[in-house]
Amino acid sequence: VRAHNARDEMDSDTAPAVRYAVGTENAVATACPLSTKRSDWQSPSFWTDACPELTIGGSPPPPPPSPPAADTSALRRASSSLLRDGYAAVDRPSDLGAPSAPALAPRLARATASLHATGLPPSFLLLFDETWSLAHEASRAASLATHRANVPIFDSLAWRTCDGFSPHRDRQPEDAASSFHTDGHAKYVTFWLALSDATPANSCLYVVPAGIDPGYAGGDEDGDEDGTWDDGGEVAPLRRALSTKVAFQMIRALPCLAGQGVLFTHRTIHWGSRGDADAPPRAAMSFVVADRAFERPYLARPPVWGAGPPFEARLALACGQMLAYHDRFGLPKSALRACYGYCREHEDCLAAEYRKKIYTEFVAAMRTRGAPGGGGGGGSSSSGPKVGSQKNDQSRGDDVGAIGVEEK
């Protein structure tokens, strides 16, 4: 793992029925509590009992008087790497103004294990103060390294897995070139943070550098559903980028220690390696910044620096993410209905465009899931990572040549 000298500043650590669907990347070992009465899980005490190391106090611990300072030269290096390659390794988040990452990452990793043991998706980390402290720092770092118009949109997810995920781009706008600022920086950027060590053995990120990817800024050709060729013989994105043996040598593995991360754009083809059979799962979380003209924030009232939104808004966002990415998590219909009900009850917390998206996804999930309460993971809803589809929907990723679930 790269940057061993950074270790000094870091601490470190599937089944069917009403559980997660078999084969989803966050399969758990027990029944999902979301399928029970909503009153059982809509109070903060339910979540702090599940994750006693973390807190829900309405806002994170008192913030510093001003945002942490960032190293100008480190920001320039990250910016240059993003412009050239579409990604940037972040060995020392503190250099980009995110000093809390090394200390918070192990605590959040242990919380993903606690949520998993309780039968809950790791993305419910969104409920905790510590997550919002980290979200502010990570989002600001991504903005400073790219463009000041890129702001937090709260499209965050967390994982605990070693199964890997298939190659994809995070967004497929109709006009790829227009999804970049005039200075070349992307209008949608993810800060992927390792909460535990991520290696090739337990699923680290792999990327295709932008310089060898003709579809990165120019846009992809329309491929057919198997991800190889369409009827006109146009080539799928991954095959276009890796058209020669030499091109395969350009693939980059990005292992991370707990608390390290990777910045990458919405057009960067990336995936996760499938871990060894005896490898421990790794935990990770992503934070996104975007130009509001490209994708608007998901919360109706985004929090200011150092403050977390009210508990109801956090839970509505977490439930909304379960709907927006339902194919990824494979929750049973009963759990999805409960998430939908909570979002409707607290829809004033969510932005109008996001509400429309998650309500549409809920309808799709109800049509594609198996029998109620049966888990039924895949289906072919609009949120699934289908090849050659969703070209007109910049709010969805696109699988670029392999079958499987995607991770931001």
Side-chain angles (χ1 to χ4, degrees), residues 45-58:
S45 61
F46 173 88
W47 302 96
T48 52
D49 287 346
C51 300
E53 281 193 79
L54 304 182
T55 60
I56 301 175

Side-chain angles (χ1 to χ4, degrees), residues 346-359:
H346 298 278
E347 63 179 17
D348 61 317
C349 297
L350 304 174
E353 290 182 12
Y354 182 62
R355 291 201 307 267
K356 180 180 178 180
K357 177 168 71 173
I358 63 175
Y359 296 164

Side-chain angles (χ1 to χ4, degrees), residues 176-197:
S178 69
S179 65
F180 291 85
H181 294 286
T182 55
D183 65 357
H185 275 300
K187 294 182 179 179
Y188 183 106
V189 178
T190 297
F191 194 153
W192 186 95
L193 186 70
L195 303 180
S196 61
D197 293 353

Side-chain angles (χ1 to χ4, degrees), residues 54-92:
L54 304 182
T55 60
I56 301 175
S59 62
S66 60
D71 182 84
T72 304
S73 59
L75 287 173
R76 280 199 300 264
R77 289 193 298 270
S79 176
S80 297
S81 182
L82 283 159
L83 288 170
R84 181 185 66 245
D85 301 320
Y87 74 93
V90 182
D91 294 337
R92 294 176 59 90

Side-chain angles (χ1 to χ4, degrees), residues 167-243:
H168 70 282
R169 305 189 194 278
D170 280 342
R171 294 296 184 268
Q172 280 283 28
E174 180 70 25
D175 178 10
S178 69
S179 65
F180 291 85
H181 294 286
T182 55
D183 65 357
H185 275 300
K187 294 182 179 179
Y188 183 106
V189 178
T190 297
F191 194 153
W192 186 95
L193 186 70
L195 303 180
S196 61
D197 293 353
T199 73
N202 72 345
S203 187
C204 69
L205 289 184
Y206 286 74
V207 298
V208 174
I212 66 166
D213 179 5
Y216 177 81
D220 295 317
E221 300 175 351
D222 289 322
D224 64 3
E225 289 296 317
D226 68 4
T228 53
W229 308 89
D230 73 358
D231 293 338
E234 294 173 326
V235 186
L238 192 58
R239 184 172 291 188
R240 287 181 72 200
L242 304 177
S243 59

